[in-house]
Amino acid sequence: MSRIAYVNGRYVRHLDAAVHIEDRGYQFADGVYEVVTISGGRLIDEAGHLDRLWRSLGELRIVAPMAREPLKMVMREVIRRNGIVNGIIYLQITRGVAPRDHPFPKNATPSLVITARRLPLAKAAKTAAEGVAVITLPDIRWARRDIKSVSLLPNVLAKQEARERGAYEAFLVDEEGMVTEGSSTNAWIVTKDGKIVTRPTGNSILAGITRAALLLELKENGIAFEQRSFSVAELLDAREVFLTSSTSYVLPVVKVDDKVIGNGHPGLVSQKLRALYEKFMARETA
Ligand code: PMP
C-alpha cells in the first residue's frame, strides 16, 4: 500500500505531496501542528488534540481552513487510505502562501497538510521496560511555549544533543534552574517522600495532552499529585523520574545526566502510571 498524504483538499501520493516555496510555514515557521497517536485504528484523545490545535490557531490568529467535524473525517480518511492500525497522524496548518513579507498577508488561505505513519509497538514496549536516559540543557526557546508552533529549532538542537550523548530526551531548564519540560515531552518526578510532581501549565510549557490525561487518571484513582515547578537538584535527587507524550505515553527515566535514578530500573510508580495510561488508551480504542 503506497503512502497517501492530504494536502489542501487533495489526497496525493506521499512522494508527490508538496506545498509552495512561499508557504509561510516554510519561510517563517508561521504555523502550528498536532501529533495524535493511532492505536487499534483509533485516535487517542482526539478531542484534546483538536482543542489544543484550535487554541494554537487562535493565539496566532490563523483561521482554521476547515471546521472540526470535516477535519475529523479527513483524518479518518488519511488513516484508512494508509491502512494504519498503530502509529501517528500529523496535522500542520500554516498561514498559507504569500509573497515573503513579515506582516500577516491580507488574502492568504491557510494551508492544511496531514500525513500518517506506522510506529512499531514492540520497540516502544522494550524502551519502556528498560527506561531511558535524559540530559539537562538550558531552555533557549521563546516565551510562548504554550503555542504548538512548528518553530522547533531549539527543540531540534536539544534532541540532537541528547542523541549524541546517548540519551532519549533533553529536559530543558529555565533561568531560575527549574525544569520546564522535555524537547518533545513533559517532565515529571516522584520525590523521595513519594509525591508526584509536574510543572503547571502556562506560557513556559506546552500543555501536553498526555500530561492532562494522566492527571485526570490520577484524580480518578485518588492518587495525589502536585503541579509545581521543580529544580534540577530535585530532579537529580528524585526517587523516580518519568516523561509523558503522545508517542512515548508514560516513559520511565532511569538516568539524568550522569546520575542513576533509583536502582537504574523503571520505578514502581512510573510503571503503575504507565499501566494506568495504557488502560486509558484501551478505553479510547474500545
Ligand atoms: N512538550 C513539548 C515541547 C512537545 O513538543 C510535546 C509533544 N507534542 C509535549 C510536551 C507532549 O505533549 P503531548 O502529550 O500532547 O504529546
Side-chain angles (χ1 to χ4, degrees), residues 97-257:
V97 176
R100 189 183 180 282
D101 196 11
H102 288 62
F104 297 172
K106 289 224 162 51
N107 298 313
T109 308
S111 302
L112 169 60
V113 169
I114 305 177
T115 55
R117 70 182 163 102
R118 292 188 174 81
L119 281 186
L121 284 181
K123 186 162 170 269
K126 185 167 177 283
T127 305
E130 290 170 356
V132 297
V134 306
I135 59 169
T136 58
L137 288 177
D139 195 335
I140 59 169
R141 297 174 299 164
W142 72 329
R144 289 303 306 277
R145 301 157 191 157
D146 54 311
I147 301 171
K148 199 163 171 59
S149 132
V150 293
S151 171
L152 289 172
L153 202 42
N155 311 59
V156 166
L157 294 178
K159 191 77 92 187
Q160 179 60 21
E161 183 160 350
R163 290 298 145 84
E164 285 173 6
R165 288 166 54 185
Y168 180 88
E169 176 63 301
F171 279 180
L172 307 174
V173 181
D174 69 16
E175 282 174 352
E176 277 77 51
M178 310 302 270
V179 175
T180 52
E181 62 186 328
S183 69
S184 65
T185 59
N186 287 112
W188 303 64
I189 57 171
V190 182
T191 62
K192 283 266 154 66
D193 55 359
K195 293 215 174 73
I196 298 169
V197 181
T198 195
R199 189 168 174 131
T201 55
N203 292 348
S204 64
I205 66 166
L206 184 76
I209 303 302
T210 318
R211 174 191 178 284
L214 185 62
L215 286 178
L216 209 63
E217 286 299 309
L218 295 180
K219 234 178 240 161
E220 280 172 6
N221 286 276
I223 302 169
F225 59 85
E226 284 175 23
Q227 294 190 74
R228 63 166 176 85
S229 297
F230 56 87
S231 65
V232 174
E234 270 188 287
L235 171 68
L236 293 169
D237 192 44
R239 182 191 288 170
E240 295 184 31
V241 178
F242 60 93
L243 54 83
T244 56
S245 82
S246 297
T247 46
S248 299
Y249 312 162
V250 175
L251 189 57
V253 172
V254 293
K255 197 174 165 210
V256 178
D257 293 330

Side-chain angles (χ1 to χ4, degrees), residues 21-33:
I21 54 166
E22 283 197 309
D23 188 283
R24 288 178 64 94
Y26 182 59
Q27 293 192 322
F28 293 114
D30 188 0
V32 300
Y33 75 105

